[in-house]
PDB file of all heavy atoms in Angstrom:
ATOM      1  N   GLY A   1     111.963  75.090 106.073  1.00 96.00           N
ATOM      2  CA  GLY A   1     113.001  74.616 106.963  1.00 96.00           C
ATOM      3  C   GLY A   1     114.425  74.429 106.308  1.00 96.00           C
ATOM      4  O   GLY A   1     115.322  73.992 106.963  1.00 96.00           O
ATOM      5  N   LYS A   2     114.543  74.845 105.125  1.00 97.00           N
ATOM      6  CA  LYS A   2     115.925  74.708 104.426  1.00 97.00           C
ATOM      7  C   LYS A   2     116.179  76.024 103.719  1.00 97.00           C
ATOM      8  O   LYS A   2     115.469  76.770 103.390  1.00 97.00           O
ATOM      9  CB  LYS A   2     115.700  73.639 103.236  1.00 97.00           C
ATOM     10  CG  LYS A   2     117.012  73.453 102.561  1.00 97.00           C
ATOM     11  CD  LYS A   2     116.697  72.449 101.421  1.00 97.00           C
ATOM     12  CE  LYS A   2     118.040  72.159 100.497  1.00 97.00           C
ATOM     13  NZ  LYS A   2     117.742  71.239  99.477  1.00 97.00           N
ATOM     14  N   LYS A   3     117.515  76.341 103.886  1.00 98.00           N
ATOM     15  CA  LYS A   3     118.017  77.604 103.454  1.00 98.00           C
ATOM     16  C   LYS A   3     117.840  77.671 102.006  1.00 98.00           C
ATOM     17  O   LYS A   3     118.031  76.769 101.225  1.00 98.00           O
ATOM     18  CB  LYS A   3     119.533  77.766 103.797  1.00 98.00           C
ATOM     19  CG  LYS A   3     119.718  78.222 105.199  1.00 98.00           C
ATOM     20  CD  LYS A   3     121.229  78.603 105.491  1.00 98.00           C
ATOM     21  CE  LYS A   3     121.475  79.044 106.828  1.00 98.00           C
ATOM     22  NZ  LYS A   3     122.920  79.284 107.138  1.00 98.00           N
ATOM     23  N   VAL A   4     117.535  78.920 101.488  1.00 98.00           N
ATOM     24  CA  VAL A   4     117.429  79.237  99.975  1.00 98.00           C
ATOM     25  C   VAL A   4     118.796  78.884  99.331  1.00 98.00           C
ATOM     26  O   VAL A   4     118.858  78.222  98.277  1.00 98.00           O
ATOM     27  CB  VAL A   4     116.884  80.590  99.703  1.00 98.00           C
ATOM     28  CG1 VAL A   4     116.994  80.903  98.251  1.00 98.00           C
ATOM     29  CG2 VAL A   4     115.518  80.809 100.311  1.00 98.00           C
ATOM     30  N   GLY A   5     119.826  79.313  99.958  1.00 97.00           N
ATOM     31  CA  GLY A   5     121.159  78.867  99.611  1.00 97.00           C
ATOM     32  C   GLY A   5     121.832  79.820  98.514  1.00 97.00           C
ATOM     33  O   GLY A   5     122.875  80.405  98.811  1.00 97.00           O
ATOM     34  N   ASP A   6     121.342  79.814  97.420  1.00 96.00           N
ATOM     35  CA  ASP A   6     121.797  80.692  96.242  1.00 96.00           C
ATOM     36  C   ASP A   6     120.767  80.988  95.248  1.00 96.00           C
ATOM     37  O   ASP A   6     119.582  80.737  95.475  1.00 96.00           O
ATOM     38  CB  ASP A   6     123.036  80.074  95.568  1.00 96.00           C
ATOM     39  CG  ASP A   6     122.732  78.742  94.950  1.00 96.00           C
ATOM     40  OD1 ASP A   6     121.521  78.537  94.576  1.00 96.00           O
ATOM     41  OD2 ASP A   6     123.579  77.936  94.765  1.00 96.00           O
ATOM     42  N   VAL A   7     121.179  81.756  94.261  1.00 96.00           N
ATOM     43  CA  VAL A   7     120.153  82.213  93.184  1.00 96.00           C
ATOM     44  C   VAL A   7     119.460  81.125  92.520  1.00 96.00           C
ATOM     45  O   VAL A   7     118.364  81.226  92.067  1.00 96.00           O
ATOM     46  CB  VAL A   7     120.947  83.254  92.381  1.00 96.00           C
ATOM     47  CG1 VAL A   7     121.853  82.507  91.329  1.00 96.00           C
ATOM     48  CG2 VAL A   7     119.959  84.062  91.562  1.00 96.00           C
ATOM     49  N   PHE A   8     120.283  80.023  92.253  1.00 92.00           N
ATOM     50  CA  PHE A   8     119.552  78.906  91.551  1.00 92.00           C
ATOM     51  C   PHE A   8     118.544  78.259  92.498  1.00 92.00           C
ATOM     52  O   PHE A   8     117.492  77.716  91.984  1.00 92.00           O
ATOM     53  CB  PHE A   8     120.720  77.853  91.183  1.00 92.00           C
ATOM     54  CG  PHE A   8     121.599  78.420  89.974  1.00 92.00           C
ATOM     55  CD1 PHE A   8     122.811  78.829  90.236  1.00 92.00           C
ATOM     56  CD2 PHE A   8     121.009  78.581  88.714  1.00 92.00           C
ATOM     57  CE1 PHE A   8     123.675  79.376  89.230  1.00 92.00           C
ATOM     58  CE2 PHE A   8     121.837  79.080  87.733  1.00 92.00           C
ATOM     59  CZ  PHE A   8     123.122  79.495  87.939  1.00 92.00           C
ATOM     60  N   GLY A   9     118.992  78.177  93.759  1.00 94.00           N
ATOM     61  CA  GLY A   9     117.889  77.591  94.738  1.00 94.00           C
ATOM     62  C   GLY A   9     116.776  78.486  94.846  1.00 94.00           C
ATOM     63  O   GLY A   9     115.592  77.827  94.752  1.00 94.00           O
ATOM     64  N   LEU A  10     116.813  79.795  94.694  1.00 96.00           N
ATOM     65  CA  LEU A  10     115.678  80.564  94.685  1.00 96.00           C
ATOM     66  C   LEU A  10     114.864  80.317  93.382  1.00 96.00           C
ATOM     67  O   LEU A  10     113.665  80.384  93.440  1.00 96.00           O
ATOM     68  CB  LEU A  10     116.086  82.132  94.857  1.00 96.00           C
ATOM     69  CG  LEU A  10     114.965  83.132  94.762  1.00 96.00           C
ATOM     70  CD1 LEU A  10     115.263  84.219  95.731  1.00 96.00           C
ATOM     71  CD2 LEU A  10     114.920  83.704  93.412  1.00 96.00           C
ATOM     72  N   ALA A  11     115.523  80.332  92.327  1.00 95.00           N
ATOM     73  CA  ALA A  11     114.849  80.084  90.984  1.00 95.00           C
ATOM     74  C   ALA A  11     114.041  78.840  90.979  1.00 95.00           C
ATOM     75  O   ALA A  11     112.922  78.677  90.475  1.00 95.00           O
ATOM     76  CB  ALA A  11     115.757  80.202  89.894  1.00 95.00           C
ATOM     77  N   ASP A  12     114.739  77.769  91.522  1.00 92.00           N
ATOM     78  CA  ASP A  12     113.919  76.415  91.564  1.00 92.00           C
ATOM     79  C   ASP A  12     112.751  76.407  92.442  1.00 92.00           C
ATOM     80  O   ASP A  12     111.755  75.919  92.081  1.00 92.00           O
ATOM     81  CB  ASP A  12     115.096  75.350  92.081  1.00 92.00           C
ATOM     82  CG  ASP A  12     116.053  75.036  91.141  1.00 92.00           C
ATOM     83  OD1 ASP A  12     115.766  75.243  89.863  1.00 92.00           O
ATOM     84  OD2 ASP A  12     117.151  74.432  91.402  1.00 92.00           O
ATOM     85  N   ILE A  13     112.808  77.092  93.581  1.00 96.00           N
ATOM     86  CA  ILE A  13     111.732  77.180  94.406  1.00 96.00           C
ATOM     87  C   ILE A  13     110.515  77.949  93.813  1.00 96.00           C
ATOM     88  O   ILE A  13     109.436  77.456  93.773  1.00 96.00           O
ATOM     89  CB  ILE A  13     112.021  77.882  95.729  1.00 96.00           C
ATOM     90  CG1 ILE A  13     113.091  77.008  96.603  1.00 96.00           C
ATOM     91  CG2 ILE A  13     110.761  78.184  96.606  1.00 96.00           C
ATOM     92  CD1 ILE A  13     113.608  77.849  97.767  1.00 96.00           C
ATOM     93  N   LEU A  14     110.973  79.198  93.221  1.00 97.00           N
ATOM     94  CA  LEU A  14     109.842  79.955  92.452  1.00 97.00           C
ATOM     95  C   LEU A  14     109.132  79.114  91.368  1.00 97.00           C
ATOM     96  O   LEU A  14     108.026  79.180  91.118  1.00 97.00           O
ATOM     97  CB  LEU A  14     110.446  81.252  92.016  1.00 97.00           C
ATOM     98  CG  LEU A  14     110.818  82.293  92.876  1.00 97.00           C
ATOM     99  CD1 LEU A  14     111.551  83.502  92.320  1.00 97.00           C
ATOM    100  CD2 LEU A  14     109.484  82.800  93.636  1.00 97.00           C
ATOM    101  N   LEU A  15     110.150  78.310  90.629  1.00 95.00           N
ATOM    102  CA  LEU A  15     109.475  77.607  89.400  1.00 95.00           C
ATOM    103  C   LEU A  15     108.590  76.543  89.913  1.00 95.00           C
ATOM    104  O   LEU A  15     107.558  76.225  89.417  1.00 95.00           O
ATOM    105  CB  LEU A  15     110.604  77.118  88.496  1.00 95.00           C
ATOM    106  CG  LEU A  15     110.171  76.544  87.057  1.00 95.00           C
ATOM    107  CD1 LEU A  15     109.162  77.466  86.375  1.00 95.00           C
ATOM    108  CD2 LEU A  15     111.354  76.195  86.226  1.00 95.00           C
ATOM    109  N   ASN A  16     109.248  75.550  90.762  1.00 93.00           N
ATOM    110  CA  ASN A  16     108.555  74.266  91.204  1.00 93.00           C
ATOM    111  C   ASN A  16     107.371  74.626  92.284  1.00 93.00           C
ATOM    112  O   ASN A  16     106.469  73.842  92.023  1.00 93.00           O
ATOM    113  CB  ASN A  16     109.472  73.429  91.709  1.00 93.00           C
ATOM    114  CG  ASN A  16     110.624  72.976  90.633  1.00 93.00           C
ATOM    115  OD1 ASN A  16     110.362  72.783  89.449  1.00 93.00           O
ATOM    116  ND2 ASN A  16     111.947  72.988  91.095  1.00 93.00           N
ATOM    117  N   ASP A  17     107.547  75.540  93.077  1.00 97.00           N
ATOM    118  CA  ASP A  17     106.476  75.782  94.018  1.00 97.00           C
ATOM    119  C   ASP A  17     105.497  76.842  93.842  1.00 97.00           C
ATOM    120  O   ASP A  17     104.356  76.844  94.367  1.00 97.00           O
ATOM    121  CB  ASP A  17     107.181  75.824  95.544  1.00 97.00           C
ATOM    122  CG  ASP A  17     107.861  74.527  95.949  1.00 97.00           C
ATOM    123  OD1 ASP A  17     107.953  73.601  95.219  1.00 97.00           O
ATOM    124  OD2 ASP A  17     108.163  74.559  97.179  1.00 97.00           O
ATOM    125  N   PHE A  18     105.994  77.818  93.083  1.00 97.00           N
ATOM    126  CA  PHE A  18     105.118  78.916  92.896  1.00 97.00           C
ATOM    127  C   PHE A  18     104.850  79.315  91.373  1.00 97.00           C
ATOM    128  O   PHE A  18     104.154  80.202  91.095  1.00 97.00           O
ATOM    129  CB  PHE A  18     105.827  80.195  93.491  1.00 97.00           C
ATOM    130  CG  PHE A  18     105.908  80.278  94.983  1.00 97.00           C
ATOM    131  CD1 PHE A  18     106.846  79.543  95.670  1.00 97.00           C
ATOM    132  CD2 PHE A  18     104.910  80.836  95.707  1.00 97.00           C
ATOM    133  CE1 PHE A  18     106.857  79.505  96.992  1.00 97.00           C
ATOM    134  CE2 PHE A  18     104.935  80.738  97.132  1.00 97.00           C
ATOM    135  CZ  PHE A  18     105.926  80.101  97.729  1.00 97.00           C
ATOM    136  N   ASN A  19     105.326  78.342  90.579  1.00 97.00           N
ATOM    137  CA  ASN A  19     104.975  78.455  89.097  1.00 97.00           C
ATOM    138  C   ASN A  19     105.385  79.841  88.483  1.00 97.00           C
ATOM    139  O   ASN A  19     104.579  80.417  87.647  1.00 97.00           O
ATOM    140  CB  ASN A  19     103.537  78.146  88.819  1.00 97.00           C
ATOM    141  CG  ASN A  19     103.121  76.811  89.271  1.00 97.00           C
ATOM    142  OD1 ASN A  19     104.020  75.933  89.329  1.00 97.00           O
ATOM    143  ND2 ASN A  19     101.826  76.602  89.476  1.00 97.00           N
ATOM    144  N   VAL A  20     106.564  80.273  88.780  1.00 97.00           N
ATOM    145  CA  VAL A  20     107.147  81.499  88.312  1.00 97.00           C
ATOM    146  C   VAL A  20     108.559  81.189  87.767  1.00 97.00           C
ATOM    147  O   VAL A  20     109.409  80.659  88.486  1.00 97.00           O
ATOM    148  CB  VAL A  20     107.193  82.607  89.348  1.00 97.00           C
ATOM    149  CG1 VAL A  20     107.812  83.854  88.761  1.00 97.00           C
ATOM    150  CG2 VAL A  20     105.741  82.972  89.741  1.00 97.00           C
ATOM    151  N   ALA A  21     108.805  81.597  86.573  1.00 95.00           N
ATOM    152  CA  ALA A  21     110.154  81.424  86.010  1.00 95.00           C
ATOM    153  C   ALA A  21     110.844  82.847  85.940  1.00 95.00           C
ATOM    154  O   ALA A  21     110.419  83.710  85.433  1.00 95.00           O
ATOM    155  CB  ALA A  21     109.961  80.922  84.467  1.00 95.00           C
ATOM    156  N   VAL A  22     111.995  82.733  86.626  1.00 96.00           N
ATOM    157  CA  VAL A  22     112.921  83.995  86.661  1.00 96.00           C
ATOM    158  C   VAL A  22     114.137  83.508  86.112  1.00 96.00           C
ATOM    159  O   VAL A  22     114.636  82.399  86.180  1.00 96.00           O
ATOM    160  CB  VAL A  22     112.946  84.546  88.062  1.00 96.00           C
ATOM    161  CG1 VAL A  22     111.596  85.016  88.534  1.00 96.00           C
ATOM    162  CG2 VAL A  22     113.703  83.624  89.098  1.00 96.00           C
ATOM    163  N   ILE A  23     115.138  84.346  85.910  1.00 95.00           N
ATOM    164  CA  ILE A  23     116.487  84.131  85.303  1.00 95.00           C
ATOM    165  C   ILE A  23     117.483  84.345  86.345  1.00 95.00           C
ATOM    166  O   ILE A  23     117.768  85.647  86.727  1.00 95.00           O
ATOM    167  CB  ILE A  23     116.709  85.029  84.036  1.00 95.00           C
ATOM    168  CG1 ILE A  23     115.788  84.618  82.937  1.00 95.00           C
ATOM    169  CG2 ILE A  23     118.186  84.655  83.562  1.00 95.00           C
ATOM    170  CD1 ILE A  23     115.703  83.235  82.434  1.00 95.00           C
ATOM    171  N   PRO A  24     118.176  83.392  86.813  1.00 95.00           N
ATOM    172  CA  PRO A  24     119.346  83.601  87.786  1.00 95.00           C
ATOM    173  C   PRO A  24     120.469  84.267  87.041  1.00 95.00           C
ATOM    174  O   PRO A  24     120.768  83.787  85.815  1.00 95.00           O
ATOM    175  CB  PRO A  24     119.605  82.166  88.248  1.00 95.00           C
ATOM    176  CG  PRO A  24     118.619  81.353  87.830  1.00 95.00           C
ATOM    177  CD  PRO A  24     117.983  81.997  86.513  1.00 95.00           C
ATOM    178  N   CYS A  25     121.000  85.165  87.513  1.00 96.00           N
ATOM    179  CA  CYS A  25     122.079  86.036  86.768  1.00 96.00           C
ATOM    180  C   CYS A  25     123.550  85.603  87.113  1.00 96.00           C
ATOM    181  O   CYS A  25     124.409  86.450  86.666  1.00 96.00           O
ATOM    182  CB  CYS A  25     121.952  87.564  87.103  1.00 96.00           C
ATOM    183  SG  CYS A  25     120.344  88.183  86.316  1.00 96.00           S
ATOM    184  N   LYS A  26     123.779  84.476  87.538  1.00 94.00           N
ATOM    185  CA  LYS A  26     125.130  83.969  87.614  1.00 94.00           C
ATOM    186  C   LYS A  26     125.857  83.969  86.278  1.00 94.00           C
ATOM    187  O   LYS A  26     127.074  84.430  86.304  1.00 94.00           O
ATOM    188  CB  LYS A  26     125.232  82.654  88.305  1.00 94.00           C
ATOM    189  CG  LYS A  26     126.614  82.112  88.577  1.00 94.00           C
ATOM    190  CD  LYS A  26     126.658  80.838  89.308  1.00 94.00           C
ATOM    191  CE  LYS A  26     128.205  80.477  89.588  1.00 94.00           C
ATOM    192  NZ  LYS A  26     128.241  79.152  90.296  1.00 94.00           N
ATOM    193  N   ASP A  27     125.234  83.562  85.288  1.00 92.00           N
ATOM    194  CA  ASP A  27     125.775  83.536  83.900  1.00 92.00           C
ATOM    195  C   ASP A  27     125.782  84.825  83.303  1.00 92.00           C
ATOM    196  O   ASP A  27     126.360  85.115  82.235  1.00 92.00           O
ATOM    197  CB  ASP A  27     124.896  82.557  83.028  1.00 92.00           C
ATOM    198  CG  ASP A  27     125.120  81.159  83.378  1.00 92.00           C
ATOM    199  OD1 ASP A  27     126.101  80.863  84.167  1.00 92.00           O
ATOM    200  OD2 ASP A  27     124.339  80.299  82.964  1.00 92.00           O
ATOM    201  N   PHE A  28     125.259  85.892  83.977  1.00 96.00           N
ATOM    202  CA  PHE A  28     125.422  87.464  83.565  1.00 96.00           C
ATOM    203  C   PHE A  28     126.493  88.079  84.375  1.00 96.00           C
ATOM    204  O   PHE A  28     126.620  89.319  84.284  1.00 96.00           O
ATOM    205  CB  PHE A  28     124.016  88.034  83.850  1.00 96.00           C
ATOM    206  CG  PHE A  28     122.933  87.666  82.898  1.00 96.00           C
ATOM    207  CD1 PHE A  28     122.357  86.363  83.040  1.00 96.00           C
ATOM    208  CD2 PHE A  28     122.470  88.347  81.890  1.00 96.00           C
ATOM    209  CE1 PHE A  28     121.297  85.876  82.249  1.00 96.00           C
ATOM    210  CE2 PHE A  28     121.470  87.997  80.954  1.00 96.00           C
ATOM    211  CZ  PHE A  28     120.912  86.764  81.126  1.00 96.00           C
ATOM    212  N   GLY A  29     127.154  87.284  85.215  1.00 97.00           N
ATOM    213  CA  GLY A  29     128.186  87.819  86.058  1.00 97.00           C
ATOM    214  C   GLY A  29     127.850  88.324  87.308  1.00 97.00           C
ATOM    215  O   GLY A  29     128.808  88.857  88.037  1.00 97.00           O
ATOM    216  N   PHE A  30     126.675  88.060  87.762  1.00 97.00           N
ATOM    217  CA  PHE A  30     126.221  88.453  89.083  1.00 97.00           C
ATOM    218  C   PHE A  30     125.409  87.305  89.751  1.00 97.00           C
ATOM    219  O   PHE A  30     124.173  87.263  89.422  1.00 97.00           O
ATOM    220  CB  PHE A  30     125.295  89.756  89.036  1.00 97.00           C
ATOM    221  CG  PHE A  30     125.942  91.083  89.363  1.00 97.00           C
ATOM    222  CD1 PHE A  30     126.931  91.621  88.449  1.00 97.00           C
ATOM    223  CD2 PHE A  30     125.787  91.833  90.380  1.00 97.00           C
ATOM    224  CE1 PHE A  30     127.597  92.784  88.630  1.00 97.00           C
ATOM    225  CE2 PHE A  30     126.496  92.869  90.746  1.00 97.00           C
ATOM    226  CZ  PHE A  30     127.349  93.505  89.812  1.00 97.00           C
TER     227      PHE A  30
END
């Protein structure tokens, strides 16, 4: 019921709800 929003929101959902760690690439320029 809530928008993913941005790459950090996606990474938080994956880590906290699906136990998967990915790297958001905002700090990589994308």
Side-chain angles (χ1 to χ4, degrees):
K2 182 180 177 182
K3 282 187 178 180
V4 172
D6 59 21
V7 72
F8 291 108
L10 179 140
D12 282 343
I13 294 168
L14 284 175
L15 185 57
N16 295 319
D17 287 13
F18 291 85
N19 298 337
V20 179
V22 301
I23 300 298
C25 285
K26 184 175 182 180
D27 290 344
F28 292 71
F30 262 72

